[in-house]
Amino acid sequence: MKIVCSDCRYVGEAVEMKKGSRKKEIALWCCLFLPGLFYTLWRQSTDGKYLACPQCTGTRFRTLKRREWKEFERKGSLPT
Ligand SMILES: [Zn+2]
């Protein structure tokens, strides 16, 4: 999905991020087996994923329309 980030002006493909943190996952695995397992499953499920800007990992962006992307490819800037 092509996006334009409203925080850092990044234009391009959005990346898929995982919710939660790796550290928390490992900590849970070390202390308690079951919550760790559920946490891992949750992070791997589609619910645990979201799209974000690869540059600032922000989620405040809008998706680009096909026409806008073509314009960007051609001119190197977005139509205003
Ligand atoms: Zn950004």
Side-chain angles (χ1 to χ4, degrees):
M1 189 169 71
K2 301 285 194 294
I3 58 151
V4 53
C5 180
S6 45
D7 283 331
C8 67
R9 313 302 302 159
Y10 167 85
V11 180
E13 202 71 38
V15 289
E16 210 169 61
M17 296 283 177
K18 274 184 182 173
K19 282 181 187 167
S21 71
R22 188 86 197 150
K23 258 186 211 162
K24 210 181 275 179
E25 195 177 345
I26 291 164
L28 273 173
W29 269 105
C30 291
C31 307
L32 307 140
F33 175 74
L34 270 176
L37 181 69
F38 284 125
Y39 194 69
T40 303
L41 286 174
W42 173 71
R43 283 188 71 205
Q44 283 171 355
S45 70
T46 40
D47 288 351
K49 283 177 188 163
Y50 64 99
L51 286 170
C53 164
Q55 205 155 278
C56 65
T57 65
T59 50
R60 297 200 310 140
F61 56 78
R62 64 179 188 85
T63 52
L64 277 180
K65 291 183 190 79
R66 212 180 165 75
R67 191 179 52 81
E68 286 176 309
W69 175 251
K70 283 270 169 280
E71 187 91 356
F72 177 76
E73 269 188 327
R74 204 152 43 90
K75 289 184 186 167
S77 65
L78 285 170
T80 43

